[in-house]
């Protein structure tokens, strides 16, 4: 450690630290603009000039390394005079538009100008003007004249997002930040550049001109989207959510948010919001009151149980529902005598039920410290944007990342080894890695692997995993968990992790996937579970689920719902109008209290930030009343906290001890499929994963929300005579869709990539398995 004196106080910091680090450790504030603790040092704003004894002139605190015995003064006359001079330069060209600036009230330049700026300016010449830019639907660049060239946005793109979407052009007073010619900002974490901007140059396009910072009330919440459980500050005005910002938590989301977490709030006032209970009578929807609607539901469920037995009733939820909602839904269904409840709508292999309760297998923060990682079946950047930023950080620290996936995606980070194969060949490819690891370790491969021969890519993966005593992880992504052979992939991956000393886990799909397992909302039990709609039932209760978009097989789901006698949809939005019988308006995350359990097993509770819209009610209250109407015992809860305490125990927020990734299943060798049959590769686009993101208008105008294309390998495109931009008919089972083709050289030769979760592909079948494509002449989007 190096000891220095700063403003008369002694402080010890690590060798190589900067004066700014020492000041931060002491809690001494040094004014700055370009410095940010998560970004590299640029030292181009010069606002942090300090006096260092024996130095001929003031030095920038952010870029001056400490040395033993150094004496620093941050508020001496010399330092303050230097800081004031820099401020005068910064304000020379800055427009005097604070009264109408969107950042007014939360602007670093404005704040520091009060302490370090002069009452008048000596600059009488014309000020420069920078033309507005167009950066897409999320970031506004209308006022780039305000930019002070701190380059935080440029460095964030390069270092955290992994893609340089902003850059600086020009020199001197002609310098300006801009996007590449004709390009918009399309990164899935781009909104963080708005937070980083210390002036009003980059602002939130959806929030712009809608409120002043001092008018907003700040409330804590938790993201309802991916499995990270990012901490949020929800800002409210007049009972309406106006903006969502990150709440800093180093253990989870650091100080970042994905764009989905940041902008999905725009769906909360969507025209699709369901604000009154509705019942279908004679084919027409009519508004009704809660009492009538719930009595209708209770009466209908009792009748169906009486006529067809309790097993004919099923409940289907999504993992975006809270712990309390899933617990009560489970309790209601089991109270009726049925075991048919499922929240894993995209999963099809349940062989590990009763053995495995999937989780990350390590703290989220440790991802940044990994030195070797093997990721299997994950569209990483879009499925888990902030996990990708942590892995990117790890690779910068020398981590070797290996991937087994169906598409050679651009991860915007160095990947040491890639095994690209169609999903049906994943087990065969993983078998190669098992054999390569066994050879590298000098141990016997599991029984049945005698005829498997490891290729060069598998040997490369084994080499990065074996023989190094450093933090490592074998991680299964969403696609691996949804795979028809998920249990076999798990067994092989678990063996690899055990042999290489790596931790083993799942990224898990959604905000409360882990919570769903903990409360037992998972079907009949060990080895008996089947996909949610595999066996049609007479009655369905849907909680936050839109089965045509959320199910592993939309055709199967729709057939089951069309054939049911009663479908009750509990949702914040109007959907399922053609197959549902009752619509019950329930609160989205912003209007209810609840708990999400993230991928590391951390239970995070939150309160509603605004009052429920119209007649909307929290789902836990709706289920509590429904339980009472059905005459079930134990439905006398007063608060969501009492439900949480019953479900997981009082004060029990670290649930990792209840989780388990270790299965008692011997690895099975796979073999490559014979050539000829085309296979579907399916991703769920980042802004179509759940009801909120599907209805956020700004997110739906981004490049990631464009209508899905049919991505064909070069071999398939040539075989059916299709070029990029042509129309292709894609068919599975009884359904088909006509979509625009794209030729993607990164796909295996026998793979066809078609997204799921989008209305344009809701007529197709299973996410995995055979698929047919042919050239079409009909217009795109047609489905049958």
């Amino acid at each position: 450690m190096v000891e220095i004196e700063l403003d008369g106080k002694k402080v010890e910091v690590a060798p190589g630290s900067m004066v700014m680090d020492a000041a931060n450790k002491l809690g001494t504030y040094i004014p700055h603009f370009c410095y940010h603790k998560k970004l590299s040092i640029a030292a181009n704003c010069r606002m942090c000039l300090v006096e260092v004894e024996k130095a001929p002139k003031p030095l920038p605190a952010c870029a001056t390394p400490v040395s033993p015995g150094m004496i620093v003064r941050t508020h001496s006359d010399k330092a303050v005079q230097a800081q004031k001079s820099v401020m005068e330069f910064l304000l020379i060209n800055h427009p005097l538009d604070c009264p109408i600036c969107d950042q007014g009230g939360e602007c670093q330049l404005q704040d520091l100008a009060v302490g370090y700026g002069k009452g008048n300016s000596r600059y009488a010449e014309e000020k420069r003007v920078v033309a507005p830019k167009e950066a897409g639907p999320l970031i506004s660049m209308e006022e780039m004249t305000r930019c002070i060239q701190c380059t935080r946005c440029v460095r964030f793109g390069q270092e955290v997002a992994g893609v340089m979407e902003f850059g600086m052009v020009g020199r001197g007073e002609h310098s300006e930040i801009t996007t590449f010619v004709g390009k918009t900002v399309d990164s899935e974490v781009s909104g963080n550049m708005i937070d980083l901007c210390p002036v009003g140059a980059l602002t939130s396009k959806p929030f712009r001109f809608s409120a002043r910072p001092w008018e907003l009330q700040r409330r804590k919440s938790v993201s309802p989207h991916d499995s990270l459980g990012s901490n949020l500050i929800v800002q409210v005005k007049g009972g309406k959510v106006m903006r969502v910002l990150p709440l800093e938590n180093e253990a989870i989301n650091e100080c970042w948010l994905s764009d989905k977490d940041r902008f999905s709030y725009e769906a909360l006032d969507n025209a699709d919001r369901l604000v009154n209970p509705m019942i279908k009578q004679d084919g027409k929807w009519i508004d009704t009151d809660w009492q009538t609607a719930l009595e209708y539901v209770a009466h209908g469920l009792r009748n169906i149980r009486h006529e067809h037995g309790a097993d004919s009733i099923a409940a289907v939820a999504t993992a975006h529902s809270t712990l309390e909602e899933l617990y009560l839904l489970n309790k209601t269904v089991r109270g009726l005598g049925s075991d048919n409840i499922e929240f894993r709508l995209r999963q099809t292999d349940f062989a590990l039920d009763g053995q495995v309760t999937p989780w990350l297998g390590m703290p989220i923060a440790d991802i940044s410290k990994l030195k070797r990682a093997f990721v299997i079946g994950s569209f990483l950047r879009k499925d888990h944007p902030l996990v990708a930023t942590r892995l990117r950080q790890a690779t910068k620290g020398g981590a070797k990342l290996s991937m087994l996936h169906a598409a050679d995606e651009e991860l915007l980070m160095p990947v040491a080894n890639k095994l690209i194969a169609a999903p049906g060949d994943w087990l065969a490819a993983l078998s190669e890695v098992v054999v390569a690891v066994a050879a590298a370790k000098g141990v016997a491969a599991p029984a049945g692997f005698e005829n498997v021969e490891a290729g060069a890519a598998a040997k490369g993966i084994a080499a990065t995993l074996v023989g190094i005593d450093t933090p490592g992880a074998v991680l299964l992504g969403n696609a691996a968990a949804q795979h028809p052979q998920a249990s076999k992939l798990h067994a092989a991956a678990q063996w690899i992790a055990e042999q290489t000393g790596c931790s083993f886990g799942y990224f898990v799909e959604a905000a409360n996937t882990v919570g769903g397992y903990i409360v037992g909302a998972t079907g009949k039990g060990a080895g008996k579970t089947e996909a949610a709609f595999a066996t049609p039932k007479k009655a369905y209760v849907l909680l936050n689920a839109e089965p045509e978009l959320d199910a592993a097989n939309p055709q199967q789901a729709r057939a089951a719902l069309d054939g049911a006698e009663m479908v009750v949809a509990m949702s914040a939005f109007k959907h399922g109008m053609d197959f549902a019988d009752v619509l019950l308006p329930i609160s989205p995350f912003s209007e209810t209290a609840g708990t999400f359990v993230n991928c590391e097993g951390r239970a995070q509770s939150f309160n509603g930030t605004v009052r429920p819209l119209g007649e909307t009610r929290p789902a836990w209250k709706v289920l509590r009343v429904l339980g009472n109407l059905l005459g079930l015992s134990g439905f006398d809860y007063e608060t969501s906290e009492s439900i949480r305490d019953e479900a997981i125990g009082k004060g029990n927020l670290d649930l990792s001890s209840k989780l388990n990734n270790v299965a008692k299943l011997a690895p099975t060798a796979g073999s490559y499929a014979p050539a000829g049959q085309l296979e579907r590769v399916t991703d769920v686009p980042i802004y179509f994963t759940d009801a909120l993101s599907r209805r956020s208008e700004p997110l739906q105008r981004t490049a990631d929300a464009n209508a899905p294309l049919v991505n064909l390998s070069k071999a398939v495109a040539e075989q059916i005579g299709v070029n990029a931009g042509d129309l292709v008919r894609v068919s599975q089972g009884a359904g088909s869709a006509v979509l625009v083709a794209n030729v993607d050289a990164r796909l295996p030769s026998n793979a066809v990539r078609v997204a799921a979760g989008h209305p344009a592909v809701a007529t197709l079948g299973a996410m995995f398995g055979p698929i047919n494509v042919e050239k079409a002449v009909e217009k795109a989007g047609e489905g049958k």
Side-chain angles (χ1 to χ4, degrees):
M1 300 293 279
V2 176
E3 185 181 83
I4 71 166
E5 182 184 305
L6 192 139
D7 290 344
K9 298 174 187 171
K10 294 277 198 291
V11 60
E12 285 189 344
V13 289
S17 298
M18 303 296 156
V19 171
M20 186 71 88
D21 300 321
N24 288 341
K25 190 170 182 181
L26 278 176
T28 300
Y29 180 72
I30 300 174
H32 59 271
F33 293 112
C34 68
Y35 168 81
H36 191 276
K37 63 183 177 181
K38 294 286 182 185
L39 302 177
S40 62
I41 294 164
N44 53 10
C45 77
R46 317 307 281 183
M47 190 65 211
C48 63
L49 291 175
V50 292
E51 182 183 355
V52 178
E53 197 166 276
K54 295 181 182 171
K57 59 184 180 180
L59 299 176
C62 70
T64 302
V66 295
S67 58
M70 178 185 270
I71 297 172
V72 179
R73 299 180 186 91
T74 67
H75 292 93
S76 66
D77 289 344
K78 188 175 181 181
V80 171
Q81 185 53 50
Q83 290 159 2
K84 286 187 172 180
S85 298
V86 169
M87 178 58 76
E88 186 177 16
F89 273 113
L90 286 173
L91 293 176
I92 275 178
N93 270 304
H94 200 80
L96 302 175
D97 61 353
C98 287
I100 57 117
C101 177
D102 216 40
Q103 288 275 66
E106 53 183 9
C107 168
Q108 273 182 267
L109 185 70
Q110 191 181 47
D111 294 343
L112 291 178
V114 173
Y116 298 89
K118 295 188 175 180
N120 61 332
S121 173
R122 294 182 286 169
Y123 186 81
E125 287 75 19
E126 284 185 14
K127 298 198 174 203
R128 72 177 198 148
V129 175
V130 179
K133 313 283 190 306
E134 178 51 53
L138 306 179
I139 299 176
S140 171
M141 297 180 74
E142 288 294 310
E143 311 290 348
M144 290 308 291
T145 302
R146 298 170 185 159
C147 177
I148 59 169
Q149 284 92 44
C150 71
T151 68
R152 278 184 181 182
C153 55
V154 179
R155 283 176 286 146
F156 172 83
Q158 289 174 301
E159 297 162 22
V160 181
V163 55
M164 186 176 170
E165 294 182 293
F166 281 135
M168 186 179 283
V169 296
R171 300 188 66 181
E173 70 165 8
H174 301 295
S175 301
E176 57 182 87
I177 300 287
T178 184
T179 57
F180 288 99
V181 182
K183 298 276 188 181
T184 55
V185 175
D186 297 325
S187 165
E188 59 281 356
V189 289
S190 66
N192 294 295
M193 296 193 269
I194 298 166
D195 295 342
L196 287 172
C197 185
V199 295
L202 302 180
T203 53
S204 165
K205 199 172 265 190
F207 173 72
R208 193 168 153 80
F209 300 138
S210 60
R212 286 301 199 177
W214 55 85
E215 299 175 309
L216 301 171
Q217 297 168 300
R218 297 155 58 90
R219 288 161 191 170
K220 295 180 183 178
S221 193
V222 178
S223 164
H225 299 296
D226 66 32
S227 60
L228 210 67
S230 298
N231 290 195
L232 312 177
I233 296 171
V234 178
Q235 297 191 324
V236 174
K237 176 186 174 185
K240 181 182 172 185
V241 175
M242 304 300 291
R243 183 167 63 167
V244 169
L245 298 174
L247 175 63
E248 188 168 343
N249 186 336
E250 279 298 313
I252 299 175
N253 56 302
E254 303 176 87
C255 54
W256 313 126
L257 278 187
S258 70
D259 288 353
K260 181 159 60 171
D261 295 335
R262 184 183 297 271
F263 294 108
S264 68
Y265 75 88
E266 284 284 309
L268 298 172
D269 279 332
N270 189 282
D272 272 357
R273 271 301 293 270
L274 181 62
V275 291
N276 289 302
M278 299 178 81
I279 294 176
K280 189 190 280 182
Q281 287 189 347
D282 301 325
K284 293 182 180 174
W285 285 99
I286 58 165
D287 289 349
T288 186
D289 59 87
W290 272 106
Q291 188 73 19
T292 306
L294 288 174
E295 284 177 356
Y296 180 88
V297 172
H299 179 71
L301 292 176
R302 273 196 299 263
N303 274 2
I304 287 168
R305 180 175 61 174
H306 177 70
E307 290 173 20
H308 305 285
D311 193 54
S312 63
I313 298 171
V316 173
T318 69
H320 302 283
S321 311
T322 66
L323 183 88
E324 294 80 358
E325 291 164 4
L326 290 175
Y327 180 75
L328 282 196
L329 184 67
N330 190 32
K331 195 170 178 179
T332 304
V333 174
R334 310 262 187 205
L336 285 166
S338 171
D339 289 324
N340 301 314
I341 177 166
E342 191 55 76
F343 74 93
R344 303 163 295 178
L345 300 193
R346 294 195 174 103
Q347 193 165 322
T348 51
D349 178 1
F350 301 94
L352 294 177
D353 272 14
Q355 290 189 58
V356 166
T357 318
W359 69 298
L360 187 61
M362 61 196 289
I364 291 166
D366 286 358
I367 294 173
S368 308
K369 302 169 190 166
L370 291 174
K371 293 298 177 188
R372 52 202 172 117
F374 181 25
V375 176
I376 300 163
S378 177
F379 294 92
L380 192 60
R381 277 177 55 206
K382 305 303 179 182
D383 287 348
H384 306 284
L386 295 184
V387 170
T389 64
R390 283 194 181 269
L391 271 174
R392 195 169 292 123
Q393 196 176 330
T395 58
K396 285 188 170 182
K400 299 284 188 221
L401 173 64
S402 301
M403 294 286 297
L404 165 58
H405 198 33
D408 186 7
E409 293 215 298
E410 178 49 77
L411 295 180
L412 305 176
M413 64 183 100
V415 179
N417 304 284
K418 296 175 184 175
L419 248 177
I420 306 300
D425 294 330
W426 283 1
L427 184 58
L430 206 51
S431 299
E432 287 188 29
V433 181
V434 167
V435 169
V437 166
K441 287 276 292 181
V443 299
F449 284 74
E450 294 80 11
N451 298 322
V452 177
E453 194 171 319
K459 287 176 181 173
I461 292 171
T464 60
L465 293 177
V466 170
I468 316 163
D469 186 20
T470 53
V474 176
L475 296 162
L476 295 166
N478 294 356
Q482 294 156 0
H483 196 282
Q485 294 178 303
S487 55
K488 292 180 178 179
L489 294 175
H490 175 110
Q494 181 183 317
W495 189 90
I496 292 166
E498 287 167 351
Q499 294 300 319
T500 57
C502 290
S503 69
F504 174 55
Y506 284 79
F507 288 127
V508 305
E509 186 177 356
N512 201 33
T513 300
V514 175
Y517 277 99
I518 283 173
V519 300
T522 53
K524 296 182 179 179
K528 297 178 189 169
T529 316
E530 59 184 6
F533 298 97
T535 304
K537 304 296 178 186
K538 294 295 180 183
Y540 284 98
V541 178
L542 308 178
L543 175 63
N544 288 318
E546 302 178 40
E548 326 91 286
L549 305 175
D550 292 330
N553 188 329
Q555 281 177 20
Q556 191 183 69
R558 186 57 195 267
L561 292 165
D562 286 341
E565 289 182 18
M566 184 179 202
V567 177
V568 180
M570 298 173 65
S571 173
F573 301 96
K574 291 176 187 171
H575 75 88
M577 309 288 277
D578 42 358
F579 58 73
D581 300 286
V582 188
L583 297 178
L584 302 178
I586 59 166
S587 302
F589 83 104
S590 57
E591 298 169 19
T592 186
T595 304
F596 291 133
V597 185
N598 72 359
C599 58
E600 67 176 4
R602 184 191 298 240
Q604 300 187 101
S605 295
F606 55 93
N607 290 314
T609 53
V610 291
R611 289 183 180 279
L613 191 65
E615 288 299 306
T616 301
R617 294 290 178 268
W620 69 265
K621 290 187 177 181
V622 176
L623 289 164
R624 181 196 65 193
V625 176
L626 185 59
N628 292 332
L629 291 172
L630 288 166
L632 307 178
S633 60
F635 278 79
D636 51 357
Y637 307 100
E638 292 294 321
T639 63
S640 65
E641 288 80 6
S642 60
I643 306 168
R644 178 195 66 200
D645 293 346
E646 184 176 302
I648 61 172
K650 194 164 187 177
N652 191 10
L653 298 180
D654 180 7
L655 302 175
S656 55
S657 60
K658 295 187 176 188
L659 307 173
N660 169 49
N661 288 322
V662 180
K664 300 178 183 70
L665 190 68
T668 312
S671 56
Y672 286 96
Q677 176 59 57
L678 294 181
E679 266 193 69
R680 183 174 178 183
V681 173
T682 311
D683 63 305
V684 181
I686 183 171
Y687 302 135
F688 287 92
T689 53
D690 58 85
L692 272 179
S693 54
R694 285 180 195 127
R695 292 172 175 86
S696 169
E697 193 261 339
L699 293 180
Q700 291 306 312
R701 288 192 284 114
T702 61
D704 276 318
N706 289 341
L709 301 171
V710 179
N711 288 288
L712 308 169
S713 65
K714 279 185 177 176
V716 174
E718 286 169 9
Q719 185 183 331
I720 63 172
V722 165
N723 296 313
D726 290 351
L727 293 181
V728 172
R729 177 175 290 282
V730 185
S731 51
Q732 279 182 298
S736 65
V738 176
L739 302 166
V740 178
N742 180 48
V743 180
D744 189 347
R746 301 172 300 177
L747 284 172
S749 60
N750 60 331
V752 176
R753 181 171 171 178
V754 186
H758 191 285
V761 290
T763 50
L764 297 179
M767 292 171 66
F768 294 86
I771 190 167
N772 294 308
V773 292
E774 58 187 0
K775 196 165 185 175
V777 290
E778 297 91 335
K779 42 181 198 195
E782 176 202 295
K784 65 178 183 183

